[in-house]
Amino acid sequence: MSQQRPSHAYHWKLGDSGPAVAEIRFKLSLLGLLPETPPARQGRRIPSAEALFDTAVDAAVRHFQQQRGLTTDGIVGPETYRHLNEARWRLGDRVLSYTPSGMMVGDDVAHLQQRLLDMGFTPGRVDGIYGPATAQAVSEFQRNMGLHPDGTLGPTTYVVLERLSRTVVGGAPHVMRETEMLRHSGPALTGKVIVIDPGHGGTDAGIQAHEASEAAIVWDITSRLEGRLTALGVRTYLTRTADAAPDETERARFANQTGADLMISLHLEGHANPGIGGVASYYYGDESRGRWSHTGKQFAGLAQRELVARCGLGDLRSHARTWTLLRSTKMPCVRLELGYLTNAADAARLRSAEVRAQAVEAIAVAVQRVYLPPEDDAPTGVLHLPAAFA
C-alpha cells in the first residue's frame, strides 16, 4: 500500500538478523506460530545477535498478518510489530484501567469489549484500546453487579465477568447499534461533520509515476470534495495543509477532536507490475474475529461501487484492515485508494480534471447514500445530489 514507510530500524524482513529479530521470533513462538528456538548452528545455540529472519519467520509473519487484517507482505514494520505486542495479552493477564496519557491496548482489551458488548453494555468499538467508553462500560457492569464502579478490571471484577455467560445471542450487537445511530441521524447532509484526509503531503509526495504525484492529485481531489460537501451543508475539516505531512496518529488525533460523523482518507496506489490497476476501499475490521465497523464497511462498499461506475476504474473491492488510522478514529473511517499511478490507464484518468470531478461526485453520492433509508436509496451510478435536495 502507499502508506508511509518506516525507517530500516523499524522495518525487519527476510534476511535480516540481530536482537530485534530474536524478539520477533520469541513473540511468534509465544503465539504458537514458530518453534521456540531457531535451529542450532553446528551444535551450538545461536546468540540473539545472530538470530535470523529466515523463511520460517517470513511464513509465520505472513500468516500472522493475514490473521490480523494487515498487509500481508512478510515485513515487520510498526503496524505488524504493534500487533505482535498486543496479541500476547489474554483477558485476566493484567489489571486493565483507563489512563488518558497512555491508554492500554491489547487483545485482552478487545476480548473485554466484546464481552461487554454481548451483555448489552456500550464499550465503544471493539478496537482493543481501553478508552473512556470502555472504562464507562466497565463501571456500568460493576454497578449492575454490586461492585465498586471504578472502571478498572481488577481480579474481583474479572472473576464476576468470567462467571457470566453471554446474555445476547443471535446477530451482532454493534451492527444493531450502528444501524440505529444512522437511522437516528437522519438522511439530510446538512449539519453532518466529515473529516477529509489527503494522504502524504509536504516533502512526502507518496507514489510518483507518469509525471504525477500522489500527494498533488489527492490534494486536488480533496479540495474539490471539500467544496462539494460544503455546498451540500456538510461541515468539513482537513487533516493537513498543502505543505504538511502529519503521521497517521496525528491525523487520527485531529479527527477525534472534531466530533466528526465520518472520515475519508484519500490515497493512490503503486506497484512494480504496471499492469495492475483499479480502485480499492478499506474500513476498520477483523472479520475473522467478528470485529468491524458496520458504517465503515457500508460506506466503503458504496464509495467503491460509485467510483467504479462513474470513473471507469477497475474494481479491486472493499477490504477490512486494522491499520492505525482506521482503528484509532472514534468515527467510521474509510481509506479510498483511487487508482494505481503506476498504471498508464489509471494515471491518465487521474490526470484528467473530468475524471477527478467524477470521483468527487462518486464520493459525495456515497456519503449521501450511507444516510438514506433503503426505501429512498437509488441504484449505483444514478443518484444526482442536486436533485435529492430540490
Tab-separated table of all heavy atoms in Angstrom, residues 300-342:
chain	number	residue	atom	x	y	z
A	300	ALA	N	-17.680	2.132	2.666
A	300	ALA	CA	-16.613	1.668	1.773
A	300	ALA	C	-17.196	0.974	0.553
A	300	ALA	O	-16.752	1.187	-0.587
A	300	ALA	CB	-15.669	0.730	2.518
A	301	GLY	N	-18.211	0.138	0.773
A	301	GLY	CA	-18.844	-0.556	-0.346
A	301	GLY	C	-19.565	0.390	-1.287
A	301	GLY	O	-19.475	0.253	-2.516
A	302	LEU	N	-20.274	1.373	-0.718
A	302	LEU	CA	-20.983	2.346	-1.545
A	302	LEU	C	-20.006	3.186	-2.361
A	302	LEU	O	-20.200	3.399	-3.567
A	302	LEU	CB	-21.839	3.253	-0.662
A	302	LEU	CG	-23.057	2.605	0.004
A	302	LEU	CD1	-23.647	3.544	1.055
A	302	LEU	CD2	-24.111	2.232	-1.032
A	303	ALA	N	-18.941	3.690	-1.719
A	303	ALA	CA	-17.951	4.506	-2.426
A	303	ALA	C	-17.251	3.689	-3.502
A	303	ALA	O	-17.003	4.179	-4.615
A	303	ALA	CB	-16.933	5.060	-1.428
A	304	GLN	N	-16.931	2.447	-3.192
A	304	GLN	CA	-16.258	1.570	-4.154
A	304	GLN	C	-17.100	1.415	-5.420
A	304	GLN	O	-16.612	1.581	-6.547
A	304	GLN	CB	-16.024	0.206	-3.503
A	304	GLN	CG	-15.363	-0.835	-4.393
A	304	GLN	CD	-13.896	-0.569	-4.603
A	304	GLN	OE1	-13.272	0.144	-3.839
A	304	GLN	NE2	-13.339	-1.130	-5.662
A	305	ARG	N	-18.365	1.109	-5.243
A	305	ARG	CA	-19.232	0.879	-6.406
A	305	ARG	C	-19.458	2.158	-7.203
A	305	ARG	O	-19.486	2.136	-8.441
A	305	ARG	CB	-20.559	0.275	-5.938
A	305	ARG	CG	-20.402	-1.141	-5.381
A	305	ARG	CD	-21.746	-1.824	-5.181
A	305	ARG	NE	-22.538	-1.212	-4.126
A	305	ARG	CZ	-22.432	-1.536	-2.843
A	305	ARG	NH1	-21.558	-2.450	-2.451
A	305	ARG	NH2	-23.206	-0.975	-1.934
A	306	GLU	N	-19.617	3.294	-6.508
A	306	GLU	CA	-19.822	4.562	-7.218
A	306	GLU	C	-18.576	4.950	-8.021
A	306	GLU	O	-18.672	5.414	-9.160
A	306	GLU	CB	-20.172	5.674	-6.227
A	306	GLU	CG	-21.531	5.537	-5.566
A	306	GLU	CD	-22.703	5.764	-6.524
A	306	GLU	OE1	-22.471	6.319	-7.629
A	306	GLU	OE2	-23.832	5.399	-6.170
A	307	LEU	N	-17.398	4.780	-7.438
A	307	LEU	CA	-16.156	5.134	-8.133
A	307	LEU	C	-15.950	4.266	-9.364
A	307	LEU	O	-15.547	4.756	-10.435
A	307	LEU	CB	-14.968	4.984	-7.179
A	307	LEU	CG	-14.837	6.072	-6.111
A	307	LEU	CD1	-13.894	5.626	-4.991
A	307	LEU	CD2	-14.328	7.376	-6.736
A	308	VAL	N	-16.220	2.983	-9.244
A	308	VAL	CA	-16.076	2.079	-10.397
A	308	VAL	C	-17.062	2.457	-11.494
A	308	VAL	O	-16.707	2.525	-12.673
A	308	VAL	CB	-16.275	0.614	-9.945
A	308	VAL	CG1	-16.381	-0.313	-11.159
A	308	VAL	CG2	-15.133	0.170	-9.043
A	309	ALA	N	-18.303	2.715	-11.111
A	309	ALA	CA	-19.345	3.018	-12.100
A	309	ALA	C	-19.131	4.357	-12.791
A	309	ALA	O	-19.369	4.493	-13.995
A	309	ALA	CB	-20.720	3.002	-11.413
A	310	ARG	N	-18.653	5.370	-12.065
A	310	ARG	CA	-18.574	6.715	-12.618
A	310	ARG	C	-17.220	7.053	-13.228
A	310	ARG	O	-17.154	7.924	-14.094
A	310	ARG	CB	-18.906	7.733	-11.522
A	310	ARG	CG	-20.345	7.648	-11.022
A	310	ARG	CD	-20.566	8.520	-9.794
A	310	ARG	NE	-21.880	8.318	-9.211
A	310	ARG	CZ	-22.932	9.129	-9.391
A	310	ARG	NH1	-22.806	10.204	-10.139
A	310	ARG	NH2	-24.094	8.874	-8.821
A	311	CYS	N	-16.158	6.381	-12.796
A	311	CYS	CA	-14.808	6.766	-13.226
A	311	CYS	C	-14.143	5.767	-14.167
A	311	CYS	O	-13.034	6.021	-14.654
A	311	CYS	CB	-13.909	6.970	-12.007
A	311	CYS	SG	-14.504	8.223	-10.860
A	312	GLY	N	-14.799	4.639	-14.397
A	312	GLY	CA	-14.218	3.665	-15.316
A	312	GLY	C	-12.993	2.954	-14.774
A	312	GLY	O	-12.179	2.425	-15.533
A	313	LEU	N	-12.839	2.908	-13.455
A	313	LEU	CA	-11.703	2.246	-12.832
A	313	LEU	C	-12.024	0.786	-12.528
A	313	LEU	O	-13.184	0.421	-12.325
A	313	LEU	CB	-11.325	2.960	-11.532
A	313	LEU	CG	-10.769	4.376	-11.687
A	313	LEU	CD1	-10.883	5.139	-10.374
A	313	LEU	CD2	-9.323	4.332	-12.150
A	314	GLY	N	-10.985	-0.060	-12.519
A	314	GLY	CA	-11.186	-1.464	-12.192
A	314	GLY	C	-11.613	-1.638	-10.746
A	314	GLY	O	-11.286	-0.830	-9.879
A	315	ASP	N	-12.343	-2.713	-10.481
A	315	ASP	CA	-12.907	-2.952	-9.153
A	315	ASP	C	-12.035	-3.930	-8.371
A	315	ASP	O	-12.034	-5.131	-8.643
A	315	ASP	CB	-14.321	-3.511	-9.297
A	315	ASP	CG	-15.042	-3.638	-7.963
A	315	ASP	OD1	-14.446	-3.271	-6.931
A	315	ASP	OD2	-16.198	-4.106	-7.962
A	316	LEU	N	-11.292	-3.405	-7.378
A	316	LEU	CA	-10.476	-4.244	-6.500
A	316	LEU	C	-11.166	-4.483	-5.159
A	316	LEU	O	-10.560	-4.981	-4.226
A	316	LEU	CB	-9.099	-3.601	-6.292
A	316	LEU	CG	-8.281	-3.406	-7.581
A	316	LEU	CD1	-6.948	-2.763	-7.270
A	316	LEU	CD2	-8.078	-4.730	-8.304
A	317	ARG	N	-12.406	-4.061	-5.049
A	317	ARG	CA	-13.305	-4.362	-3.936
A	317	ARG	C	-12.925	-3.673	-2.616
A	317	ARG	O	-11.941	-2.964	-2.521
A	317	ARG	CB	-13.401	-5.875	-3.728
A	317	ARG	CG	-13.825	-6.623	-4.969
A	317	ARG	CD	-14.091	-8.063	-4.648
A	317	ARG	NE	-13.879	-8.930	-5.782
A	317	ARG	CZ	-14.059	-10.252	-5.761
A	317	ARG	NH1	-14.458	-10.832	-4.645
A	317	ARG	NH2	-13.850	-10.964	-6.826
A	318	SER	N	-13.756	-3.953	-1.601
A	318	SER	CA	-13.568	-3.391	-0.261
A	318	SER	C	-12.974	-4.455	0.652
A	318	SER	O	-13.292	-5.637	0.525
A	318	SER	CB	-14.907	-2.917	0.315
A	318	SER	OG	-15.439	-1.879	-0.452
A	319	HIS	N	-12.145	-4.003	1.592
A	319	HIS	CA	-11.445	-4.944	2.465
A	319	HIS	C	-11.379	-4.408	3.893
A	319	HIS	O	-11.234	-3.203	4.108
A	319	HIS	CB	-10.018	-5.180	1.961
A	319	HIS	CG	-9.950	-5.568	0.517
A	319	HIS	ND1	-10.054	-6.870	0.079
A	319	HIS	CD2	-9.799	-4.807	-0.606
A	319	HIS	CE1	-9.968	-6.909	-1.236
A	319	HIS	NE2	-9.814	-5.666	-1.670
A	320	ALA	N	-11.460	-5.309	4.855
A	320	ALA	CA	-11.287	-4.952	6.263
A	320	ALA	C	-9.800	-4.926	6.601
A	320	ALA	O	-9.058	-5.822	6.205
A	320	ALA	CB	-12.001	-5.976	7.145
A	321	ARG	N	-9.377	-3.892	7.307
A	321	ARG	CA	-7.985	-3.772	7.735
A	321	ARG	C	-7.947	-3.189	9.151
A	321	ARG	O	-8.897	-2.528	9.588
A	321	ARG	CB	-7.183	-2.870	6.790
A	321	ARG	CG	-6.922	-3.466	5.413
A	321	ARG	CD	-5.950	-4.635	5.498
A	321	ARG	NE	-5.614	-5.155	4.177
A	321	ARG	CZ	-6.263	-6.150	3.573
A	321	ARG	NH1	-7.308	-6.701	4.181
A	321	ARG	NH2	-5.877	-6.575	2.388
A	322	THR	N	-6.828	-3.401	9.834
A	322	THR	CA	-6.682	-2.897	11.200
A	322	THR	C	-5.584	-1.840	11.279
A	322	THR	O	-4.925	-1.700	12.313
A	322	THR	CB	-6.353	-4.057	12.165
A	322	THR	OG1	-5.196	-4.757	11.698
A	322	THR	CG2	-7.519	-5.015	12.274
A	323	TRP	N	-5.388	-1.094	10.219
A	323	TRP	CA	-4.358	-0.062	10.184
A	323	TRP	C	-4.643	1.014	11.231
A	323	TRP	O	-5.781	1.234	11.641
A	323	TRP	CB	-4.303	0.577	8.799
A	323	TRP	CG	-3.882	-0.381	7.721
A	323	TRP	CD1	-3.064	-1.459	7.859
A	323	TRP	CD2	-4.279	-0.353	6.344
A	323	TRP	NE1	-2.912	-2.091	6.647
A	323	TRP	CE2	-3.642	-1.443	5.705
A	323	TRP	CE3	-5.092	0.500	5.591
A	323	TRP	CZ2	-3.804	-1.703	4.346
A	323	TRP	CZ3	-5.243	0.246	4.249
A	323	TRP	CH2	-4.611	-0.842	3.627
A	324	THR	N	-3.592	1.708	11.626
A	324	THR	CA	-3.667	2.677	12.718
A	324	THR	C	-4.765	3.714	12.515
A	324	THR	O	-5.564	3.975	13.421
A	324	THR	CB	-2.315	3.386	12.882
A	324	THR	OG1	-1.334	2.428	13.302
A	324	THR	CG2	-2.394	4.503	13.933
A	325	LEU	N	-4.829	4.326	11.346
A	325	LEU	CA	-5.810	5.387	11.118
A	325	LEU	C	-7.235	4.849	11.203
A	325	LEU	O	-8.122	5.478	11.790
A	325	LEU	CB	-5.576	6.046	9.759
A	325	LEU	CG	-6.441	7.275	9.474
A	325	LEU	CD1	-6.075	8.402	10.440
A	325	LEU	CD2	-6.265	7.743	8.042
A	326	LEU	N	-7.487	3.680	10.619
A	326	LEU	CA	-8.829	3.106	10.633
A	326	LEU	C	-9.240	2.706	12.046
A	326	LEU	O	-10.414	2.809	12.415
A	326	LEU	CB	-8.878	1.877	9.719
A	326	LEU	CG	-8.474	2.079	8.254
A	326	LEU	CD1	-8.593	0.761	7.494
A	326	LEU	CD2	-9.343	3.150	7.590
A	327	ARG	N	-8.274	2.281	12.828
A	327	ARG	CA	-8.562	1.782	14.158
A	327	ARG	C	-8.669	2.885	15.196
A	327	ARG	O	-9.484	2.810	16.116
A	327	ARG	CB	-7.450	0.814	14.564
A	327	ARG	CG	-7.589	0.238	15.957
A	327	ARG	CD	-6.307	-0.450	16.361
A	327	ARG	NE	-6.456	-1.224	17.569
A	327	ARG	CZ	-5.456	-1.771	18.223
A	327	ARG	NH1	-4.227	-1.606	17.780
A	327	ARG	NH2	-5.659	-2.461	19.317
A	328	SER	N	-7.844	3.910	15.084
A	328	SER	CA	-7.709	4.913	16.145
A	328	SER	C	-8.756	6.013	16.095
A	328	SER	O	-8.863	6.794	17.039
A	328	SER	CB	-6.308	5.546	16.087
A	328	SER	OG	-5.307	4.554	16.241
A	329	THR	N	-9.505	6.104	15.009
A	329	THR	CA	-10.529	7.139	14.918
A	329	THR	C	-11.810	6.695	15.606
A	329	THR	O	-12.210	5.535	15.503
A	329	THR	CB	-10.829	7.467	13.445
A	329	THR	OG1	-11.017	6.240	12.715
A	329	THR	CG2	-9.676	8.225	12.819
A	330	LYS	N	-12.448	7.637	16.299
A	330	LYS	CA	-13.682	7.315	17.002
A	330	LYS	C	-14.851	7.177	16.033
A	330	LYS	O	-15.802	6.444	16.302
A	330	LYS	CB	-13.991	8.414	18.027
A	330	LYS	CG	-12.959	8.523	19.138
A	330	LYS	CD	-13.282	9.682	20.075
A	330	LYS	CE	-12.227	9.831	21.152
A	330	LYS	NZ	-12.497	11.000	22.033
A	331	MET	N	-14.802	7.915	14.933
A	331	MET	CA	-15.854	7.831	13.937
A	331	MET	C	-15.493	6.784	12.882
A	331	MET	O	-14.323	6.399	12.779
A	331	MET	CB	-16.065	9.206	13.264
A	331	MET	CG	-14.989	9.612	12.265
A	331	MET	SD	-13.324	9.883	12.952
A	331	MET	CE	-13.662	11.211	14.109
A	332	PRO	N	-16.471	6.300	12.088
A	332	PRO	CA	-16.135	5.397	10.988
A	332	PRO	C	-15.144	6.079	10.041
A	332	PRO	O	-15.324	7.242	9.680
A	332	PRO	CB	-17.475	5.139	10.306
A	332	PRO	CG	-18.500	5.427	11.349
A	332	PRO	CD	-17.926	6.533	12.183
A	333	CYS	N	-14.098	5.367	9.667
A	333	CYS	CA	-13.073	5.915	8.774
A	333	CYS	C	-12.874	4.945	7.620
A	333	CYS	O	-12.766	3.729	7.834
A	333	CYS	CB	-11.762	6.127	9.530
A	333	CYS	SG	-10.390	6.694	8.494
A	334	VAL	N	-12.827	5.470	6.415
A	334	VAL	CA	-12.623	4.651	5.221
A	334	VAL	C	-11.460	5.214	4.425
A	334	VAL	O	-11.355	6.427	4.233
A	334	VAL	CB	-13.899	4.610	4.341
A	334	VAL	CG1	-13.613	4.021	2.971
A	334	VAL	CG2	-14.981	3.797	5.049
A	335	ARG	N	-10.597	4.341	3.989
A	335	ARG	CA	-9.472	4.740	3.133
A	335	ARG	C	-9.797	4.327	1.707
A	335	ARG	O	-10.099	3.157	1.441
A	335	ARG	CB	-8.183	4.070	3.609
A	335	ARG	CG	-6.993	4.327	2.692
A	335	ARG	CD	-5.704	3.928	3.368
A	335	ARG	NE	-4.592	3.919	2.451
A	335	ARG	CZ	-3.330	4.125	2.806
A	335	ARG	NH1	-3.049	4.386	4.077
A	335	ARG	NH2	-2.362	4.074	1.928
A	336	LEU	N	-9.745	5.296	0.802
A	336	LEU	CA	-10.022	5.051	-0.611
A	336	LEU	C	-8.721	5.139	-1.400
A	336	LEU	O	-8.050	6.168	-1.387
A	336	LEU	CB	-11.029	6.070	-1.150
A	336	LEU	CG	-12.400	6.106	-0.458
A	336	LEU	CD1	-13.257	7.218	-1.045
A	336	LEU	CD2	-13.105	4.764	-0.590
A	337	GLU	N	-8.368	4.057	-2.069
A	337	GLU	CA	-7.232	4.041	-2.992
A	337	GLU	C	-7.817	4.257	-4.380
A	337	GLU	O	-8.431	3.363	-4.957
A	337	GLU	CB	-6.488	2.705	-2.917
A	337	GLU	CG	-5.917	2.386	-1.542
A	337	GLU	CD	-4.590	3.078	-1.274
A	337	GLU	OE1	-4.105	3.802	-2.165
A	337	GLU	OE2	-4.038	2.882	-0.173
A	338	LEU	N	-7.631	5.459	-4.918
A	338	LEU	CA	-8.377	5.897	-6.100
A	338	LEU	C	-7.772	5.463	-7.422
A	338	LEU	O	-8.150	5.984	-8.478
A	338	LEU	CB	-8.518	7.421	-6.075
A	338	LEU	CG	-9.270	7.976	-4.854
A	338	LEU	CD1	-9.170	9.495	-4.811
A	338	LEU	CD2	-10.722	7.535	-4.885
A	339	GLY	N	-6.836	4.532	-7.411
A	339	GLY	CA	-6.237	4.041	-8.637
A	339	GLY	C	-4.740	3.864	-8.470
A	339	GLY	O	-4.150	4.282	-7.474
A	340	TYR	N	-4.125	3.234	-9.457
A	340	TYR	CA	-2.677	2.988	-9.450
A	340	TYR	C	-1.990	3.994	-10.356
A	340	TYR	O	-2.176	3.979	-11.576
A	340	TYR	CB	-2.390	1.569	-9.928
A	340	TYR	CG	-2.573	0.515	-8.867
A	340	TYR	CD1	-3.848	0.187	-8.390
A	340	TYR	CD2	-1.478	-0.148	-8.326
A	340	TYR	CE1	-4.014	-0.783	-7.414
A	340	TYR	CE2	-1.638	-1.116	-7.346
A	340	TYR	CZ	-2.909	-1.432	-6.897
A	340	TYR	OH	-3.069	-2.389	-5.922
A	341	LEU	N	-1.175	4.841	-9.735
A	341	LEU	CA	-0.460	5.843	-10.517
A	341	LEU	C	0.600	5.200	-11.401
A	341	LEU	O	1.045	5.801	-12.378
A	341	LEU	CB	0.174	6.873	-9.577
A	341	LEU	CG	0.500	8.253	-10.155
A	341	LEU	CD1	-0.712	8.872	-10.835
A	341	LEU	CD2	1.000	9.165	-9.039
A	342	THR	N	1.010	3.979	-11.070
A	342	THR	CA	1.993	3.261	-11.885
A	342	THR	C	1.353	2.564	-13.085
A	342	THR	O	2.058	1.998	-13.925
A	342	THR	CB	2.717	2.215	-11.022
A	342	THR	OG1	1.745	1.447	-10.292
A	342	THR	CG2	3.658	2.892	-10.030
